Amino acid sequence: MNEFLKQVAIILEVDKVTETDELKAFPQWDSLSVLSVIAMLDANYGVNLRAADFGPVQNVGDLWNLVQSRKGS
């Protein structure tokens, strides 16, 4: 998960994110960031998400849980 947190931080252009950080609290969290996360998840985790899948995602931990639930499916 540490590598995942680092990758999300890079996309959000911040030094660090934690599991409890609310994604909408970041000014950089916008449609472009969502697309960047989708591309990163596909490339690094083999998980294919759509923007609509982010609806229930509130924080970084929710995003991690979503990725884990989609791995191998």
Side-chain angles (χ1 to χ4, degrees):
M1 176 170 216
N2 286 336
E3 187 59 34
F4 175 79
L5 294 174
K6 288 177 189 175
Q7 293 167 347
V8 172
I10 289 168
I11 290 169
L12 294 175
E13 301 174 352
V14 295
D15 292 332
K16 178 181 171 184
V17 297
T18 66
E19 290 180 62
T20 58
D21 287 339
E22 296 289 323
L23 291 167
K24 291 180 182 175
F26 292 98
Q28 301 87 340
W29 185 250
D30 58 13
S31 58
L32 184 57
S33 294
V34 170
L35 291 175
S36 295
V37 168
I38 289 171
M40 178 270 291
L41 294 175
D42 183 33
N44 297 331
Y45 297 93
V47 173
N48 295 306
L49 297 179
R50 299 180 332 247
D53 296 325
F54 285 77
V57 173
Q58 297 295 313
N59 59 39
V60 178
D62 291 343
L63 181 57
W64 173 253
N65 291 334
L66 177 61
V67 170
Q68 295 305 302
S69 73
R70 297 288 181 91
K71 273 184 151 179
S73 36

